[in-house]
Amino acid sequence: MEILISAVGTTDPISNNRDAALLHIARTHRPEKIVLVYSEEMLIKQDLIEQAIFSIEDYHPDVTIESTILKNDEVYLFDKMFEVMGQIVEKYSGTDHQLILNLSSGTPQIISALFALNRIKDYNTQAIQVATPKRAANRPYVQLSSDEEKNLFAENKDNQKDYEDRTIKDEAEKFNQSLIKRHLRNLIASYDYLAAEELVTKKEYNNLLSKKKLSFLRATLNDFVKVFKTQAILKDIQDYPLTDVEKKALNYFLMIEVLKERGQVADVLIKSKSYVEFIIEEKIKKDYPDLIKYDGALPKLNEEYKDFEKILDFIDLEFKKAKGIENEEERIYSPQSTLNLLSYENILTFYQVSPDLLKSLKVITGLNSERNKVAHGLSEIDGKIVNSKKLNQTIDTLRFVLQDTFDIEDYYFGYYQKINDELLDLLRS
């Protein structure tokens, strides 16, 4: 259903022997329903307005008087009119309704409010302006006598079949696109790729950019969203001259870096341990082949490895020290235990690897207690322990561990910021 929402202005319904805006839109567009918004001052026109509307030949709309009457001392306040007219527009909006907003009747503040609503709000609307017959400002309203009212209809030159159509559709597209681009830039700058993708894939934004640029934007955002939804590897990383394990590790690091930028502290804590565990496991497999065996997917010490007993004794001792029972002679660390980050750290300590690497591992294991409280105890994160400085240190540590283990050059990093800059430039065009 087409619904015309119109304030009643001083020149409505007829001015200078021509339709004023309200009547002209009704005559030209013939909406099924007309919602009239009166101010206290304009209520005196109610009968005249309805008489004018029903004088249109073969046209019988449902005319509704909006229950909200605009106060005379508020029709000149934009903020108030934006609020009130917004509520009225919201009231009559619906999936099956096409709203027509009259941008030529009422005070400038009412018109500006409807103008803004048409551009900003996500309603199914079109806004119509009507040029005056003089193509200039109309005179103030002066109440007419009964005879003068009759003459209005008799002398109305628009009340004929071959009248001149003076309606002008308000094209909000360019302004809307500017707002959408600005909103998209804000979303991308804050790494909210899911919200940006959901917005840019809407059909109504098919003309937001050129076909080529829009395709690139949508494909890039879709690629990013897949990473954070499913841990998929970025398409660009898939083309890098790296091993599959290196691609996987780099992709995961970049993802954690973005999570830190988003302020998702819990995710950073939880994923950092799993990430370093993965990296160090790969390092041990590379530097000490056959030390690890797998029971299904579970990593365990290989009993047949040459240093098995020595490593087992070392891990057992470190395990006892952590529990404060280092004098216990009986071995309490089971050779069938599933290996984890702490046992990997023990293995690297046994082999006296780089002190810098061991120091880095301490940063991650030092967060283990807080990480476990968050992951398993659903506890609130202690901001004194995990602050922005600690998070930045964590990211630096993850990168160090990655580059210490794999030959990944510096230029592979900063990927999201680089692509973000490209997308932001694209959305400024």
Side-chain angles (χ1 to χ4, degrees):
M1 174 190 290
E2 275 198 332
I3 302 175
L4 168 62
I5 297 178
S6 174
V8 176
T10 57
T11 60
D12 290 315
I14 299 171
S15 176
N16 297 315
N17 297 331
R18 296 279 188 176
D19 292 343
L22 167 57
L23 186 59
H24 199 64
I25 294 173
R27 185 188 305 280
T28 304
H29 288 266
R30 295 180 173 250
E32 299 165 72
K33 185 182 184 74
I34 299 176
V35 177
L36 300 174
V37 184
Y38 284 95
S39 65
E40 294 171 329
E41 182 184 13
M42 292 295 108
L43 275 172
I44 195 173
K45 290 182 152 195
Q46 184 173 331
D47 291 340
L48 181 62
I49 295 294
E50 293 189 27
Q51 185 181 353
I53 292 171
F54 291 121
S55 73
I56 300 173
E57 187 177 358
D58 297 325
Y59 179 49
H60 308 285
D62 172 13
V63 178
T64 297
I65 308 302
E66 167 55 36
S67 59
T68 300
I69 305 300
L70 308 178
K71 296 181 179 179
N72 289 341
D73 59 354
E74 292 182 344
V75 293
Y76 302 102
L77 303 175
F78 172 79
D79 287 348
K80 186 63 179 179
M81 290 302 96
F82 184 83
E83 175 188 351
V84 174
M85 297 307 292
Q87 291 171 350
I88 293 172
V89 171
E90 177 74 33
K91 179 178 177 180
Y92 293 98
S93 65
T95 55
D96 298 328
H97 294 163
Q98 166 74 52
L99 302 184
I100 301 173
L101 307 182
N102 178 1
L103 296 187
S104 294
S105 292
T107 63
Q109 290 77 12
I110 293 173
I111 292 169
S112 295
L114 290 173
F115 182 86
L117 287 165
N118 183 52
R119 283 163 160 70
I120 298 171
K121 298 293 185 178
D122 190 21
Y123 300 127
N124 183 20
T125 65
Q126 59 176 316
I128 304 294
Q129 291 177 295
V130 178
T132 66
K134 291 182 178 181
R135 301 295 196 260
N138 284 304
R139 58 178 172 78
Y141 176 65
V142 178
Q143 188 173 349
L144 304 177
S145 67
S146 178
D147 288 339
E148 288 172 327
E149 287 183 357
K150 290 179 181 179
N151 288 336
L152 277 178
F153 299 108
E155 297 172 3
N156 184 5
K157 296 179 181 179
D158 281 326
N159 194 19
Q160 55 188 349
K161 292 183 178 179
D162 59 348
Y163 69 93
E164 176 191 3
D165 181 357
R166 291 178 278 114
T167 60
I168 305 167
K169 184 176 180 181
D170 175 43
E171 297 291 351
E173 181 180 3
K174 188 174 182 180
F175 189 84
N176 273 340
Q177 288 185 352
S178 178
L179 289 177
I180 293 300
K181 286 180 180 180
R182 179 186 292 272
H183 186 41
L184 280 169
R185 290 199 299 272
N186 289 336
L187 291 174
I188 291 169
S190 59
Y191 302 92
D192 193 347
Y193 301 124
L194 177 60
E197 188 208 25
E198 289 177 346
L199 185 63
V200 80
T201 51
K202 291 184 177 181
K203 290 182 180 179
E204 56 261 43
Y205 302 132
N206 283 346
N207 295 321
L208 188 67
L209 298 165
S210 68
K211 189 174 181 180
K212 182 178 179 180
K213 289 180 178 180
L214 186 60
S215 177
F216 172 74
L217 176 61
R218 286 172 169 170
T220 301
L221 291 174
N222 179 259
D223 191 27
F224 288 1
V225 168
K226 284 181 180 178
V227 171
F228 292 93
K229 277 187 175 182
T230 67
Q231 295 184 184
I233 296 178
L234 288 162
K235 289 182 179 178
D236 283 346
I237 289 182
Q238 290 174 0
D239 294 331
Y240 289 169
L242 302 172
T243 67
D244 288 344
V245 171
E246 289 169 342
K247 291 175 184 178
K248 188 175 182 179
L250 174 61
N251 188 76
Y252 205 82
F253 168 80
L254 296 175
M255 180 177 67
I256 295 175
E257 193 174 36
V258 169
L259 292 175
K260 190 269 290 185
E261 293 298 327
R262 287 180 181 173
Q264 294 176 231
V265 180
D267 285 333
V268 172
L269 286 180
I270 293 169
K271 292 181 182 299
S272 291
K273 180 188 175 185
S274 301
Y275 178 72
V276 173
E277 206 166 66
F278 171 83
I279 298 293
I280 297 305
E281 184 176 326
E282 291 298 321
K283 178 178 180 63
I284 292 173
K285 285 160 60 177
K286 181 176 67 172
D287 294 349
Y288 311 101
D290 300 324
L291 189 156
I292 298 175
K293 71 173 185 178
Y294 290 88
D295 181 4
L298 302 177
K300 299 180 183 298
L301 283 175
N302 183 1
E303 298 93 334
E304 298 179 2
Y305 192 73
K306 60 185 175 92
D307 293 328
F308 171 75
E309 290 294 337
K310 293 178 181 178
I311 293 172
L312 187 61
D313 286 340
F314 186 83
I315 295 177
D316 182 68
L317 179 59
E318 294 298 312
F319 190 74
K320 289 174 181 175
K321 286 180 181 179
K323 289 185 172 292
I325 55 172
E326 55 263 46
N327 293 326
E328 174 69 43
E329 294 184 3
E330 184 179 350
R331 182 186 287 166
I332 62 174
Y333 185 84
S334 171
Q336 297 304 315
S337 297
T338 299
L339 299 176
N340 57 24
L341 181 57
L342 290 174
S343 48
Y344 289 150
E345 181 186 6
N346 293 155
I347 292 170
L348 294 182
T349 303
F350 172 81
Y351 282 112
Q352 298 181 324
V353 299
S354 159
D356 288 337
L357 177 58
L358 293 175
K359 183 180 178 180
S360 294
L361 295 182
K362 293 292 184 186
V363 173
I364 304 303
T365 56
L367 291 171
N368 203 41
S369 176
E370 196 67 20
R371 183 261 185 199
N372 287 339
K373 285 194 294 184
V374 172
H376 305 302
L378 305 182
S379 301
E380 180 180 355
I381 295 169
D382 188 339
K384 294 180 181 178
I385 298 175
V386 187
N387 51 31
S388 59
K389 181 178 179 180
K390 179 61 72 174
L391 285 175
N392 288 332
Q393 182 187 24
T394 300
I395 295 299
D396 291 342
T397 298
L398 299 184
R399 177 167 172 173
F400 175 82
V401 172
L402 174 62
Q403 290 187 288
D404 183 80
T405 302
F406 300 117
D407 187 21
I408 298 179
E409 300 294 336
D410 289 344
Y411 56 78
Y412 286 115
F413 295 88
Y415 176 85
Y416 282 99
Q417 187 56 58
K418 175 188 173 187
I419 301 300
N420 269 18
D421 290 342
E422 289 183 24
L423 297 183
L424 294 176
D425 286 342
L426 181 147
L427 285 165
R428 291 188 183 97
S429 60

